[in-house]
Amino acid sequence: MSHSLGVRQAQKQKTRQALLDGALGLLEEQSLSSLGLREVTRVVGIAPTAFYRHFRDMGELGVALVEEALGSLHVMVRAILAEQDGAEERIDRTVAVVEQHVRRYPLHIRFVARERHGGVRAVRQAIAGELDRFAEEVAAALKTQPVSEGWCDDDVRMLAELYVDRLVMTAAALLDAEADGVEGAAGQVVRVARRQLRLISIGRRHWREEK
Amino acid sequence: MSHSLGVRQAQKQKTRQALLDGALGLLEEQSLSSLGLREVTRVVGIAPTAFYRHFRDMGELGVALVEEALGSLHVMVRAILAEQDGAEERIDRTVAVVEQHVRRYPLHIRFVARERHGGVRAVRQAIAGELDRFAEEVAAALKTQPVSEGWCDDDVRMLAELYVDRLVMTAAALLDAEADGVEGAAGQVVRVARRQLRLISIGRRHWREEK
DNA sequence: TAGTTCGGAGAACGGTTGTTTACTGGATGA
DNA sequence: TCATCCAGTAAACAACCGTTCTCCGAACTA
């Protein structure tokens, strides 16, 4: 396999990616359900009708964007879960990774936060499903940690969901803070997020001894 | 003051409310930035041009909806904070109130969850500001509780934000669960929410003794 | 009662939308 | 080399959009 793709398919994937990128850019300042097919093709520089060669409608493009956006998030979470330090170091590292991810993929974060409860059903479901797999992955990692000894699977899962939600919310808040341009707002968000994770971590350590 | 309002103004407020209600209904299945002016007036049963007698554009109507929706949320939170029972009873009561609120004002909840990160800047800012006042109110209530002794204001505030976010997320999840129609999904959400609040509550009790 | 105010109606505007149909020309594969 | 495929083009369609301007009639005010 000297060339994994023919010229034909390579070019097709190229304009497909251009459509995704163009749409993602436009979605910085509007939501998916108001994004027009013509608007996207205009930005990409192709004829409106060419859109149909790649997606049936904007909803399908949205679902493709979900896979792209949450794929990059998966990388982020794996980077966090790989750490084996103490609780405090892990928290600092977690928030730092989130911060860096927001700076690298701001449009992805914005898209996920916006369309998670957005107006397109198929996209909402795609995000929900992906975040679900996400929580499952986090739960599996939490389970291996010594602190989780004696925890039932349901409790680990609810903790994982708490973490995932918090990470997404923090990322969105961080994005808003940077967009507002208020000096120091981002730093404030980071410091609050650290303390919130710390409080959850404390609750986790004392979970078993209560009931 | 036998009649607080003339027939004129009363009728105006009536159709204004009809516009808000009509828009809110349409917003169940789409987002604000894709909602058309004509679409709303058509549902209400008035001429498109009459819209301008009440709002400059859809963004302004959105901001008005924010005030209406979060006004009802304020009532909910006050009901929660008024309780003076033990931690466990308060958690059960909190989740119950949220559950009942979701069932009474599903469209308001949907709107807030959707437009919190939505495509209309003015509406986003209105929601953010309202949730901020919200967190402040919760923080003030938390501060009076014995558990908060020795807490600095910043820490109380970060806890309040954690609670507010959690409540909004729970309400949205509850709404989705009921919309999906899966039997028992709502109950599952409620049980998870209770345990998450319990874990946060435990973290809160052991906060001071760490660090 | 006479004059004014104003919420709403109606028609018309230029512009944009999604989608269809027919077509072109270069990559593809026998 | 030659027939086939297929990503992208071009034109046309009816439907809808936000907005302006003009007018009406009922509620107000003096």
Side-chain angles (χ1 to χ4, degrees):
Chain A
M1 41 188 71
S2 54
H3 57 344
S4 52
L5 272 170
V7 180
R8 207 63 168 290
Q9 298 231 354
Q11 180 58 31
K12 177 167 186 179
Q13 283 210 349
K14 205 168 162 184
T15 71
R16 185 191 137 104
Q17 189 60 44
L19 282 170
L20 291 173
D21 293 345
L24 198 58
L26 291 167
L27 285 172
E28 188 176 4
E29 291 174 3
Q30 57 185 309
S31 51
L32 185 63
S33 66
S34 74
L35 182 61
L37 173 159
R38 293 182 105 105
E39 207 173 341
V40 177
T41 56
R42 192 182 311 131
V43 137
V44 172
I46 64 175
T49 50
F51 180 89
Y52 296 105
R53 301 293 181 194
H54 303 273
F55 307 101
R56 190 179 306 274
D57 51 31
M58 288 294 308
E60 203 171 289
L61 181 142
V63 172
L65 273 180
V66 171
E67 294 167 12
E68 183 177 289
L70 279 101
S72 75
L73 258 190
H74 258 284
V75 176
M76 177 185 94
V77 161
R78 276 187 227 277
I80 292 173
L81 295 178
E83 301 292 324
Q84 287 284 14
D85 314 322
E88 197 65 24
E89 291 80 6
R90 173 183 277 111
I91 288 174
D92 289 353
R93 181 92 183 114
T94 298
V95 174
V97 169
V98 170
E99 198 178 358
Q100 151 188 357
H101 193 83
V102 168
R103 243 182 279 274
R104 198 189 306 259
Y105 306 104
L107 297 182
H108 282 170
I109 304 286
R110 177 95 67 189
F111 172 74
V112 171
R114 181 159 294 169
E115 301 303 330
R116 180 178 188 185
H117 302 280
V120 184
R121 178 180 306 261
V123 172
R124 278 200 314 262
Q125 289 177 341
I127 293 178
E130 210 67 43
L131 288 182
D132 202 77
R133 288 181 44 207
F134 224 72
E136 199 53 48
E137 196 170 339
V138 172
L142 292 178
K143 210 170 158 186
T144 70
Q145 297 173 348
V147 208
S148 302
E149 204 172 351
W151 282 53
C152 71
D153 286 2
D154 263 13
D155 284 348
V156 174
R157 172 70 195 216
M158 81 84 182
L159 178 63
E161 289 178 15
L162 193 54
Y163 272 130
V164 170
D165 272 357
R166 201 96 285 285
L167 292 192
V168 173
M169 293 295 284
T170 299
L174 207 46
L175 199 62
D176 288 346
E178 295 189 349
D180 288 354
V182 180
E183 198 59 38
Q188 177 71 9
V189 170
V190 166
R191 277 167 40 239
V192 169
R194 265 201 286 260
R195 275 180 295 172
Q196 287 172 337
L197 287 181
R198 200 174 302 148
L199 189 139
I200 292 174
S201 175
I202 293 173
R204 183 188 177 196
R205 276 204 300 281
H206 295 85
W207 177 255
R208 273 180 321 171
E209 61 198 60
E210 315 249 351
K211 162 56 204 346
Chain B
M1 41 186 68
S2 54
H3 57 343
S4 53
L5 271 172
V7 179
R8 209 85 175 269
Q9 297 230 354
Q11 180 58 31
K12 179 167 184 180
Q13 283 208 349
K14 205 167 161 184
T15 72
R16 186 191 136 103
Q17 190 59 45
L19 282 170
L20 291 173
D21 293 346
L24 197 58
L26 291 168
L27 284 172
E28 187 173 7
E29 289 174 3
Q30 58 184 307
S31 52
L32 185 64
S33 66
S34 75
L35 181 61
L37 173 158
R38 293 182 105 103
E39 208 172 341
V40 177
T41 56
R42 193 182 309 130
V43 135
V44 172
I46 63 174
T49 50
F51 180 91
Y52 295 104
R53 302 292 181 191
H54 303 272
F55 306 102
R56 192 180 304 274
D57 51 32
M58 287 295 304
E60 205 171 286
L61 181 143
V63 172
L65 272 180
V66 172
E67 294 168 11
E68 182 177 290
L70 280 102
S72 75
L73 258 190
H74 258 283
V75 175
M76 177 184 94
V77 160
R78 276 187 226 278
I80 293 172
L81 295 178
E83 303 291 323
Q84 286 284 12
D85 314 322
E88 198 64 25
E89 291 81 6
R90 173 183 279 108
I91 288 174
D92 289 353
R93 180 92 184 115
T94 298
V95 175
V97 169
V98 170
E99 198 179 358
Q100 150 188 357
H101 193 83
V102 168
R103 243 181 279 274
R104 198 190 304 259
Y105 306 104
L107 298 182
H108 282 169
I109 303 287
R110 177 94 69 191
F111 172 74
V112 172
R114 180 161 294 167
E115 301 303 330
R116 180 177 188 184
H117 303 280
V120 183
R121 177 179 306 259
V123 172
R124 279 200 314 264
Q125 289 177 340
I127 293 178
E130 212 65 44
L131 287 182
D132 203 76
R133 287 179 45 204
F134 224 71
E136 199 53 49
E137 196 170 339
V138 172
L142 292 178
K143 211 171 158 186
T144 69
Q145 297 173 348
V147 208
S148 303
E149 204 172 351
W151 281 53
C152 71
D153 287 2
D154 263 14
D155 283 349
V156 174
R157 172 69 195 216
M158 87 72 188
L159 179 63
E161 288 179 15
L162 194 53
Y163 273 130
V164 170
D165 273 358
R166 203 67 242 144
L167 292 193
V168 174
M169 293 295 283
T170 299
L174 207 46
L175 200 63
D176 288 347
E178 296 191 348
D180 288 354
V182 180
E183 199 58 36
Q188 177 73 9
V189 170
V190 166
R191 276 166 42 238
V192 169
R194 265 201 285 260
R195 275 181 296 172
Q196 286 171 337
L197 286 180
R198 199 175 301 148
L199 188 141
I200 292 175
S201 174
I202 294 173
R204 185 188 176 196
R205 275 204 300 281
H206 294 85
W207 176 256
R208 274 178 322 168
E209 62 198 57
E210 313 251 350
K211 165 57 198 325

